Amino acid sequence: MLLITCIFIFLITIPTAAIKRHYTWEVTYGYKSLDCYKKLAVAINGMTLGPTISAVQGDTIAVDVINNLLMENVAIHWHGIRQIFAILKLHFLIKQRGTPWSDGTDGVTQCAIMSGEKYTYTFEVDRAMTYMYHSHYGMQRKGGLYGMINASVPGVTDPFNYDADHGIILRDWYHHSACDQSTALSSIPFQWVGEPQDHEMTIIEADRQYVESFVSKNLFIYLGETYSVLVTANKDPSKNYWTTINVVSRKPKTPNGLAIFNYLPNHFLQPPPTNPPIGPIWNDTNSQLNQSLTIKARKGFIITPPRKPDRIIVLLNTQNTINGYLRRSLNNVSHTLPTTPYLITLKQNMSDVFDPSPPPEDYDSTNFDIYTVGNNTNAISSTSIYKLQFNSTVDIILQNANSMIRNVSETHPWHLHGHYFWVLGYQEGKFNLLRDVQKYNLVDPIMKNTVALHPYGWVALRFQADNLAVWLFHCHIEAHFFLGMLVVFESNAEKVGDIPNINYGCGKNQSHGPAIVFINL
């Protein structure tokens, strides 16, 4: 009993360094130059990017979001924040506290913030890393509603610098948010060449986990991913160098982005003596796949995955039509979200809000040809969800296929809310359960929250359903998400704590705010 008591006290004790950081954000319209042309955008406190939050691991963040948009709702997702804290696991007891209603997903965990209303997001930063926040309502992220959270380890401050003295080593964080008009409208991932011409990057971190470092001149970053790299300023200091960004995975229609890597004391606008590099070829899928295969967890930081799953779900990514309209589907189902959030529905044991029939967990892989345009006109639309046993181990196999355009298979960056998953393997072609499972990396797989599904290939993920509530899993390309490329995972949502009253204001729970009465005159 003494041993148990000591463990309990250790796990629930809050570090004295942790504090509560409170912010007030006003969401408004403003004219901004997001892609070099001034146009109407969405801003937070007049800023696009929005304000940067600086915190320490263990801090509690509270953000009052006031929606002053005239005709748009707002919901903000804290990308990579698990909304989970104070977990106690003993042989006879599992205790969990969390804030799933602050995940910021309209229709899943909350009602969107309507015009003129305020919503307070409160959550704990449980891991040190650089996070992104962004709108999860409509196409507002493309319009400017996004920003960053920099969470450091207590007592550690990491420098950030754009200029360089000769010989120093720079550490930079890169996050792909597809904020500019061209990349957002094209709904594509792009590659950051990311560092100066003739300088090499050493990649050391991906989605908050240290990786076995590797050197590259190019870094492919897909929508929603975060990387940390080191660059040594060891070239001729008398001149400056180019940094370029170019689009891959779909033929670009815009010029490359350019910046200058400045060696001090050179003037920061001193042009490099060479022409800017072109960057990798947009359809070089092999290089992108090779980078994915190279990333391994760093020795000393490996979190070993469970040896076997309790459940396997295979999701075929296709493009479909439903009633003549173009959709995105998984196993021939195009998913939609209900007007009453799943979290509220399950907590209140409501019926007739979403489709109770379970979605398919596989597809006819024997007869389906991933390389041709399939007859996908018989797809259906559904609000169904995957119910997962709490603390079970789940494998997700994402299988890519041809779109409804000949010889076109697009890259899909997939993001899981509320969890991190092990990336067990990638490969070209069609996944074979009997053969390909033997190729999984169970020794040093990286843990991520976002992963790229490459054209005509598959990726295998494994995660533990150890976070109570309802969680979204979706393609992070906005157009694909809104067209149905998403699923919802639920685990013991009825055991979630008391949900704030503000979450009950939509769908079948419109219980707050003034009534609106229409009178015919």
Side-chain angles (χ1 to χ4, degrees):
M1 287 301 296
L2 178 60
L3 175 62
I4 294 173
T5 303
C6 291
I7 294 175
F8 179 78
I9 293 174
F10 174 76
L11 289 173
I12 68 171
T13 299
I14 300 174
T16 56
I19 64 173
K20 186 172 184 178
R21 302 175 185 268
H22 204 136
Y23 304 87
T24 299
W25 289 357
E26 183 182 358
V27 181
T28 59
Y29 296 111
Y31 282 95
K32 302 290 181 179
S33 299
L34 298 179
D35 55 1
C36 301
Y37 297 94
K38 184 170 283 190
K39 60 191 66 176
L40 193 66
V42 180
I44 301 176
N45 293 348
M47 301 168 61
T48 305
L49 302 167
T52 297
I53 294 176
S54 296
V56 174
Q57 179 177 307
D59 285 355
T60 296
I61 307 296
V63 183
D64 296 328
V65 178
I66 304 169
N67 180 11
N68 280 339
L69 302 178
L70 296 177
M71 300 181 65
E72 294 183 65
N73 295 343
V74 170
I76 296 181
H77 170 55
W78 313 93
H79 186 108
I81 301 289
R82 296 188 302 163
Q83 305 294 341
I84 184 174
F85 59 91
I87 306 175
L88 173 64
K89 297 181 181 179
L90 300 175
H91 292 296
F92 57 90
L93 175 65
I94 297 178
K95 183 177 180 180
Q96 182 183 58
R97 298 168 57 212
T99 51
W101 47 81
S102 285
D103 189 51
T105 47
D106 173 47
V108 180
T109 60
Q110 74 163 91
C111 300
I113 311 167
M114 295 190 294
S115 179
E117 289 193 343
K118 180 182 77 171
Y119 185 93
T120 301
Y121 293 96
T122 303
F123 55 89
E124 183 179 300
V125 180
D126 66 328
R127 299 182 182 187
M129 68 171 288
T130 300
Y131 300 89
M132 174 180 70
Y133 64 81
H134 61 83
S135 174
H136 228 295
Y137 188 89
M139 301 289 280
Q140 289 170 348
R141 177 162 54 88
K142 176 178 68 67
L145 211 168
Y146 58 93
M148 304 298 293
I149 303 174
N150 293 321
S152 61
V153 176
V156 177
T157 302
D158 292 302
F160 185 80
N161 206 332
Y162 288 108
D163 299 321
D165 289 308
H166 187 265
I168 73 167
I169 298 176
L170 302 178
R171 180 174 181 176
D172 260 344
W173 285 263
Y174 294 133
H175 194 110
H176 183 355
S177 60
C179 55
D180 68 284
Q181 191 78 348
S182 61
T183 54
L185 285 180
S186 298
S187 300
I188 57 174
F190 63 89
Q191 180 197 21
W192 288 17
V193 175
E195 288 301 336
Q197 183 184 10
D198 297 326
H199 290 73
E200 292 181 329
M201 293 175 290
T202 300
I203 293 83
I204 63 171
E205 187 182 33
D207 283 3
R208 78 96 197 154
Q209 184 174 352
Y210 286 113
V211 303
E212 283 296 325
S213 61
F214 63 97
V215 175
S216 177
K217 288 187 177 181
N218 306 314
L219 176 61
F220 297 93
I221 303 183
Y222 302 93
L223 191 56
E225 286 188 316
T226 302
Y227 284 92
S228 180
V229 305
L230 299 178
V231 180
T232 302
N234 57 359
K235 302 301 178 182
D236 182 355
S238 66
K239 58 185 180 180
N240 290 338
Y241 298 82
W242 290 111
T243 299
T244 66
I245 300 171
N246 71 301
V247 172
V248 299
S249 297
R250 184 180 290 180
K251 192 171 184 178
K253 298 180 180 179
T254 56
N256 290 355
L258 298 176
I260 293 176
F261 184 69
N262 173 225
Y263 271 75
L264 298 174
N266 302 334
H267 192 278
F268 67 92
L269 290 181
Q270 175 182 317
T274 59
N275 293 324
I278 298 175
I281 302 174
W282 68 272
N283 58 354
D284 181 7
T285 304
N286 287 335
S287 294
Q288 300 170 52
L289 179 60
N290 288 338
Q291 176 183 296
S292 295
L293 291 170
T294 299
I295 300 176
K296 311 292 183 184
R298 183 178 174 181
K299 292 179 177 62
F301 296 88
I302 298 171
I303 303 174
T304 305
R307 302 300 297 177
K308 293 182 179 180
D310 300 306
R311 187 172 178 181
I312 300 174
I313 300 174
V314 181
L315 298 174
L316 174 69
N317 290 232
T318 57
Q319 195 176 37
N320 301 67
T321 56
I322 299 178
N323 298 325
Y325 293 96
L326 187 67
R327 300 288 297 179
R328 296 279 176 171
S329 299
L330 301 161
N331 296 345
N332 230 30
V333 176
S334 182
H335 289 265
T336 59
L337 300 177
T339 56
T340 305
Y342 291 105
L343 183 61
I344 303 297
T345 299
L346 293 162
K347 179 69 175 177
Q348 298 297 320
N349 196 25
M350 299 171 64
S351 59
D352 302 327
V353 171
F354 63 88
D355 185 355
S357 58
E361 301 194 9
D362 206 341
Y363 72 104
D364 184 8
S365 59
T366 302
N367 298 310
F368 191 92
D369 186 355
I370 65 170
Y371 296 101
T372 62
V373 178
N375 180 18
N376 300 327
T377 56
N378 59 336
I380 63 171
S381 180
S382 176
T383 56
S384 58
I385 64 175
Y386 291 96
K387 290 182 174 289
L388 307 179
Q389 182 179 349
F390 179 72
N391 221 29
S392 62
T393 300
V394 182
D395 277 10
I396 304 295
I397 314 299
L398 295 169
Q399 173 68 63
N400 214 342
N402 206 95
S403 69
M404 297 193 75
I405 302 175
R406 247 182 109 185
N407 299 322
V408 173
S409 179
E410 296 181 308
T411 303
H412 301 291
W414 276 87
H415 172 53
L416 178 60
H417 292 221
H419 304 78
Y420 282 74
F421 48 72
W422 290 275
V423 183
L424 302 183
Y426 300 83
Q427 193 168 312
E428 294 179 310
K430 188 187 296 185
F431 176 79
N432 182 293
L433 183 62
L434 298 178
R435 179 188 64 236
D436 292 327
V437 169
Q438 308 303 320
K439 304 174 184 177
Y440 284 175
N441 175 18
L442 300 176
V443 177
D444 54 359
I446 185 70
M447 289 194 79
K448 300 180 91 273
N449 63 63
T450 306
V451 68
L453 173 62
H454 297 292
Y456 299 114
W458 57 263
V459 58
L461 318 174
R462 179 169 294 175
F463 74 97
Q464 289 186 289
D466 56 0
N467 200 355
L468 299 176
V470 190
W471 305 103
L472 195 61
F473 182 46
H474 63 99
C475 178
H476 217 274
I477 297 175
E478 286 168 311
H480 295 183
F481 168 69
F482 295 124
L483 290 174
M485 192 168 275
L486 65 102
V487 297
V488 176
F489 296 123
E490 182 269 335
S491 181
N492 288 20
E494 72 282 356
K495 295 183 179 180
V496 167
D498 294 335
I499 301 172
N501 290 334
I502 191 67
N503 288 68
Y504 289 85
C506 57
K508 291 191 174 183
N509 285 286
Q510 296 182 23
S511 59
H512 79 291
I516 301 176
V517 180
F518 294 92
I519 302 175
N520 292 323
L521 299 177

